[in-house]
Amino acid sequence: MADFHALRQRLQRAGQPHLLNFYDRLTSDAQHSLLTQIESIDLESLPVLVRDYVLGKPPIDLPPDIEPAPYYPHDPASPVRPWDSDAFRAAGERLLRAGKVACFTVAGGQGTRLGYDGPKGCYPAGAVTGRPLFQFFAEGIRKTGEKYGVLPPWYVMTSPLNHDATVAFFEDRDYFGLRRDAVMFFPQGTMPSFDLQTGRILLASPGEIATNPDGHGGSLLALEVSGALEDMRRRGVEHISYFQVDNPIVRVADPVFLGLHATAPDSSSEMSSKMLAKAYPEEKLGIFCVAGGRVRIIEYSDLPIERQRERLPDGRLRFLAGSPAIHILSVEFVERLNSDPAFALPWHRAEKKVPCIDPDTGERIEPREPNAVKLERFVFDAIPLARASIVYEADRTEEFAPIKNADGVDSPRTSRDIQTLRAARWLEAAGVRVPWKDATTPDCTIELSPITAIEAGDVAGIAPHLQIRRAARIAL
Ligand code: UTP
């Protein structure tokens, strides 16, 4: 009880005494659970955090010397910066053959914009068969294993909110043909959600604190505390191919990118990134910049729009490089960061709608407007912590078909269209006649299993006599 009294006092000092408002009415199990939840919060640092990030908004602190980041263009013959992609591909393939690469999917997000009832990775994304997102990645990993003779192990970061449902999904589907010991799941950390007006931690129910996953940046610590890094070391893995759960056509382990990351003269092999040429200045992608001699991503909402509209004499955007959130990190880099007791990525603040109870009356609140502040860490804030970080241009149609929103841009529909467009291009390059509505719209729907193809060359010869009729729906 002395401990309980001390905890009450600590809560008082932290400005959060309401967390015990319903304590006396809880069962002893629920009391124990609530105390455990409270103990997991760093109460002592809360007042400053709440002042600076919940009640206040941290100022946008832009470095004075922002310039566009250099990058390796998708076309290695581009006059922007010619480079030898064959050599880097060979270097990346050697890493894959030697088993030095792991795949890593961050799947702990809440996917609120999509509004799908379940972990986002279970979403039926395939253009024809409704293949789930996780299946795309599993098959991409199997195909990579087939090509290079070594199956890359796959690490899937969940959150405490979707962990069990994610694992059950894999169990139900027999791990999509992967060996069980090749897949490791681990939950990321969480943060309490805060009341937007008062800075008080929200209660989801009388005995439960409302929490949110602590952002994809939480993956760096979660890799360490879960034992995933140690597991990688044991398997001889040196590089982590990082991608998000929302992009079905991502290349799960790209040899050219791996080769650049590990061997390019301007890379420290610590953290590297893919970029996409922004389609228009207002496009909502983080922007690769250099400041203070380090590559970094600045959020689109932070870089003044006039700067984002700047153009080069040839008409191209000066700040062209947008982030599709595809990275490679070395195991050593993540270990180095975690070994520093002072290491912490910065918090980012987002206003959200979070169902909760009134802390005084216990009445349920289903907010129609944002009522809460969520604090998250972003993985890209680690880029400037690398000594030298390279950026490699990806082709949009080849590897970016994200599912973020229920409708409109970056939705299931746009993703299916891009899947079809990419498949149509690959098939046509292999000699298959494809019907088109116009130059960028096939008059059919095609879904390619990654087991069939993870790059254009894989399609050669698979269906030499294939006939695709107008409006056909084809899964290969
Ligand atoms: P998003 O920024 O799209 O966030 O995540 P979200 O939570 O999935 O979706 P909304 O904003 O609620 O609609 C980008 C990637 O980072 C992962 C997501 O699962 C997705 O792969 N992520 C995000 C995490 O793993 N953990 C987090 O805490 C947040």
Side-chain angles (χ1 to χ4, degrees), residues 106-114 120 157 188 213-216 242-246 352 374 376 404:
V106 285
Q110 293 176 295
T112 42
R113 282 169 290 172
L114 180 61
K120 203 184 208 176
M157 185 176 81
Q188 66 177 110
D214 61 359
H216 40 67
Y242 169 108
F243 55 91
Q244 301 195 153
V245 77
D246 51 25
K352 300 274 179 180
K374 278 194 201 176
E376 294 188 325
K404 294 272 186 203

Side-chain angles (χ1 to χ4, degrees), residues 190-259:
T190 56
M191 272 300 271
S193 310
F194 297 89
D195 184 284
L196 181 64
Q197 304 296 338
T198 62
R200 293 199 291 190
I201 290 174
L202 294 174
L203 282 167
S205 68
E208 194 191 351
I209 287 173
T211 58
N212 57 266
D214 61 359
H216 40 67
S219 61
L220 299 186
L221 183 62
L223 278 165
E224 167 83 33
V225 298
S226 65
L229 283 182
E230 205 179 304
D231 189 67
M232 289 178 188
R233 277 285 181 211
R234 206 168 37 74
R235 295 177 194 248
V237 167
E238 291 176 7
H239 301 287
I240 306 169
S241 177
Y242 169 108
F243 55 91
Q244 301 195 153
V245 77
D246 51 25
N247 180 11
I249 65 170
V250 70
R251 184 77 194 261
V252 295
D254 177 347
V256 179
F257 185 31
L258 281 161

